[in-house]
Amino acid sequence: MNRRQTILQQVRTNPDVPVLILGGGVNGTGLFRELALQGVGCLLVDKLDFVAGASSKSSRMIHGGLRYLENREFHLVRESLFERNRLLENAAHYVAPLRTTMPLFSYFGGLARSALIFSGLSVRPGSRGVVPVKMGLAFYDFVTRKDRRTPTHFITAKDESLRGMPGLNPNIAATATYWDAWITQAERLCIELIQDARVADPSCRALNYVRPRGIDGGAVVLEDEATGETVSVRPQVLVNATGAWVDKTNEQLGIETRYMGGTKGSHLVIDSRRLHEALDGRMVYYQHADGRVCIVFPFMDKVIMGSTDIRVDDPDAAACDADEIAYMFTTLRGVFPGIDLPRENIVFVFCGVRPLPASGGGVLANVSRGHTIRTTEPDGNRAFPVYSLIGGKWTTFRAFAEEAADRVLERLGAERRCSTEHTPIGGGRDFPSDPEHRDAWIARVAKASDLDETRLATLLRRYGAAAEGRAVQTGAEGERPLETLPDYTVGEVERIAADEYVEHLTDLVCRRSIIALLGNARRDVLRELAAVTGSVLGWDEAYREAEVETALAEVRVPAPRA
């Protein structure tokens, strides 16, 4: 009996659980870990794979939310900057400072429009000049003055800006530079949150590809996708952390809500040496003529750019289309007019639905990115309350989880045991952040594992300090490189398949690694990965080939407009 079957059998034997969490994105996994650290038993389930929704399809920014200042969301900016710094501290293996430059085309532009937005009017944001941007960045620096993790901002005149980044639009008036942060392995961080929870409280269990099918006899009926079998769970508290699907999930529970007003954001991953070099190691944060804020930044040897902001009614139908690709290419030309990108340079496309609250306003950019919890009290058919998590973003997931956990603890009559403000996540524990300690770590682990230092540097970037256990346990014998993707080894893939809740090939290439994100999910690579993964999970040849075809369909770039 494998781990999945064991968990399902345990639930059948004892269906009573203090907390059932629906949704395995960053909000759900963050809450799962938060409650586990307080000694509260939880069952976490997701209808697809963990992190398969918006949490794996974000801009990969860990940021304070500079533009939220126009909407007077000072509390959200303070919270975001505090939580950004916590992630720089607690997840240093994946989260790092990112120098960010804003091209500005005037000195005073946007002051009047920003004042109208600040006063609460539903006005589309316009181009912002040096003065309003400097005011916002000064607030950024002021908020973080006692917890400085990044350099302070500065303004650079036009001529010096163009010398530093000669590809920029020569019509700029100046540039503003500040620091936020980025996350390299967002999906893996969520898996580490689950693993941390399991270590903290082994009674906590997690299952992907399990969906709610309603309430029967006061219990939540869950269906296992793999077998079609159902199992009933009797929670004391249910938390709906399904993001853009919150209303749909509540409907499955017999609750009618209209909480969500999601928008889709599409991103492109580009293979362009010229653009990569033009960015000079920084993110460029810019505003298109329609007021939409866009970003473009180097990611490993590729470039990520985005994003769109389009209202969607059905999150299951959200996908990046050809018009969005054309739009993003157009926005880039306004900033780097001399760089022409052929569509063939696109190696990957991803689209997620932001879990925004329902809003009657017409300007999507002004909808709050804050988070709230809505409570549905028990009724005659349901003996437990349902807490629906609305909104939130990657940067503030820990604060949101803390707030939700406190609400759950109060309902259960339990006390908080610890704060997670300074609790490292996964491979962030004992991670050697500075170059000197990193070199010492690599040298020490090289002696213990017989692996060469180049390979250990790769593992350290990929898994943080947890790479030591992997290296020592696997050793040089398990380090046979894949033929089609030598940056990975057979032993590495086998371990992921065995230990990290992999059910499908797409789980491995899209959410346990950045193989697909970097455009490396080619047919030959997928076939070799299916063979290695299948040997661990018991897939026959036909099943492996079906998994390859499914993965190819998921990573395919949309065709251009006819």
Side-chain angles (χ1 to χ4, degrees):
M1 186 180 293
N2 62 29
R3 178 192 299 181
R4 181 183 188 83
Q5 293 167 334
T6 299
I7 294 174
L8 288 167
Q9 185 56 45
Q10 289 172 345
V11 174
R12 288 190 185 94
T13 303
N14 182 11
D16 295 303
V17 61
V19 181
L20 172 62
I21 302 172
L22 304 179
V26 69
N27 287 339
T29 56
L31 177 59
F32 186 61
R33 173 178 179 260
E34 189 81 27
L35 288 172
L37 288 167
Q38 315 313 322
V40 176
C42 305
L43 175 63
L44 169 71
V45 302
D46 194 291
K47 69 173 185 175
L48 297 173
D49 186 27
F50 302 123
V51 212
S55 297
S56 62
K57 299 175 176 68
S58 73
S59 297
R60 295 181 179 264
M61 294 292 100
I62 303 296
H63 65 102
L66 180 64
R67 69 184 182 85
Y68 306 155
L69 294 173
E70 273 188 342
N71 297 335
R72 299 174 297 175
E73 294 189 277
F74 301 110
H75 170 75
L76 177 58
V77 174
R78 288 192 187 95
E79 179 184 67
S80 298
L81 287 169
F82 179 84
E83 294 299 328
R84 180 201 70 182
N85 287 355
R86 298 290 66 74
L87 280 166
L88 286 168
E89 171 191 352
N90 297 328
H93 57 317
Y94 294 149
V95 180
L98 179 62
R99 182 177 180 176
T100 303
T101 293
M102 300 176 63
L104 305 171
F105 291 85
S106 68
Y107 274 86
F108 298 99
L111 275 173
R113 191 179 293 266
S114 293
L116 293 174
I117 296 171
F118 190 83
S119 67
L121 296 179
S122 182
V123 176
R124 183 177 295 279
S127 178
R128 301 169 182 89
V130 173
V131 172
V133 167
K134 185 167 181 61
M135 292 169 61
L137 292 176
F139 183 83
Y140 245 49
D141 292 341
F142 177 78
V143 169
T144 57
R145 67 195 183 283
K146 295 181 180 178
D147 186 24
R148 181 76 63 208
R149 301 270 171 172
T150 59
T152 55
H153 83 279
F154 57 87
I155 304 294
T156 306
K158 173 179 178 174
D159 290 345
E160 187 178 347
S161 295
L162 293 176
R163 281 194 296 270
M165 297 185 72
L168 278 179
N169 190 325
N171 294 324
I172 61 170
T175 60
T177 297
Y178 69 103
W179 275 257
D180 258 325
W182 66 311
I183 181 167
T184 58
Q185 304 252 18
E187 301 82 4
R188 289 206 57 82
L189 195 67
C190 286
I191 299 302
E192 291 184 358
L193 289 169
I194 295 173
Q195 292 171 330
D196 282 358
R198 293 278 299 129
V199 171
D201 187 345
S203 72
C204 291
R205 295 158 295 184
L207 285 167
N208 48 358
Y209 298 101
V210 169
R211 66 178 66 223
R213 287 303 191 191
I215 296 177
D216 184 20
V220 181
V221 179
L222 302 175
E223 181 182 355
D224 174 25
E225 181 220 61
T227 63
E229 296 179 359
T230 60
V231 61
S232 295
V233 179
R234 291 193 297 266
Q236 292 175 252
V237 173
L238 186 147
V239 179
N240 181 352
T242 56
W245 289 264
V246 159
D247 291 327
K248 288 193 168 192
T249 302
N250 281 341
E251 185 179 359
Q252 288 284 338
L253 302 173
I255 304 169
E256 185 176 344
T257 57
R258 294 292 181 269
Y259 295 149
M260 307 308 299
T263 67
K264 71 169 178 171
S266 295
H267 300 75
L268 310 179
V269 182
I270 306 291
D271 185 3
S272 169
R273 181 176 177 180
R274 187 179 178 193
L275 180 57
H276 198 283
E277 290 176 350
L279 290 168
D280 191 31
R282 71 188 82 186
M283 179 173 82
V284 173
Y285 174 99
Y286 61 98
Q287 195 161 25
H288 190 49
D290 62 0
R292 175 70 193 148
V293 171
C294 304
I295 59 170
V296 56
F297 66 99
F299 186 88
M300 312 299 183
D301 63 338
K302 304 298 189 299
V303 173
I304 292 180
M305 61 179 298
S307 72
T308 55
D309 196 12
I310 301 170
R311 180 86 70 187
V312 293
D313 295 322
D314 182 4
D316 287 311
C320 178
D321 58 38
D323 287 339
E324 290 177 277
I325 293 175
Y327 170 85
M328 284 184 273
F329 275 16
T330 298
T331 70
L332 186 69
R333 284 193 289 271
V335 182
F336 292 103
I339 297 179
D340 187 33
L341 294 177
R343 276 186 58 96
E344 292 72 30
N345 284 35
I346 303 172
V347 298
F348 190 67
V349 170
F350 58 98
C351 174
V353 180
R354 303 175 183 92
L356 302 182
S359 170
V363 182
L364 299 178
N366 295 339
V367 178
S368 175
R369 266 56 173 176
H371 50 79
T372 58
I373 303 171
R374 303 290 291 271
T375 305
T376 304
E377 293 294 343
D379 60 21
N381 185 47
R382 178 177 36 79
F384 49 86
V386 174
Y387 294 136
S388 297
L389 307 191
I390 313 300
K393 61 196 188 92
W394 244 106
T395 307
T396 56
F397 82 85
R398 191 209 62 85
F400 198 7
E402 182 179 67
E403 179 185 346
D406 286 342
R407 189 81 65 89
V408 171
L409 290 170
E410 182 181 10
R411 178 72 67 151
L412 296 176
E415 297 290 331
R416 173 172 283 276
R417 294 181 178 180
C418 64
S419 168
T420 54
E421 281 186 9
H422 303 287
T423 304
I425 301 170
R429 190 170 292 105
D430 301 321
F431 178 74
S433 297
D434 61 83
E436 181 181 350
H437 287 91
R438 195 172 301 127
D439 291 343
W441 184 96
I442 290 173
R444 177 176 58 80
V445 178
K447 289 181 180 179
S449 65
D450 293 328
L451 297 184
D452 68 69
E453 294 192 355
T454 301
R455 175 61 179 162
L456 284 170
T458 296
L459 293 176
L460 184 62
R461 288 193 301 271
R462 200 168 281 165
Y463 307 108
E468 180 171 358
R470 291 171 178 265
V472 172
Q473 181 178 336
T474 304
E477 293 182 3
E479 284 289 291
R480 179 167 60 86
L482 296 178
E483 293 180 6
T484 58
L485 197 64
D487 195 38
Y488 284 82
T489 67
V490 172
E492 183 180 2
V493 173
E494 287 176 338
R495 181 159 182 167
I496 293 172
D499 298 342
E500 297 187 1
Y501 304 93
V502 170
E503 296 292 327
H504 297 286
L505 187 57
T506 51
D507 303 341
L508 172 65
V509 299
C510 296
R511 291 173 290 277
R512 305 301 182 274
S513 71
I514 52 175
I515 291 172
L517 185 69
L518 294 177
N520 293 323
R522 306 179 303 271
R523 183 180 292 275
D524 59 338
V525 173
L526 292 173
R527 279 183 168 159
E528 187 174 11
L529 289 171
V532 176
T533 304
S535 68
V536 175
L537 301 181
W539 296 348
D540 61 26
E541 187 61 37
Y543 193 91
R544 294 177 190 182
E545 193 58 33
E547 286 291 306
V548 168
E549 294 302 323
T550 299
L552 283 171
E554 184 159 330
V555 304
R556 186 172 292 125
V557 175
R561 288 174 294 184

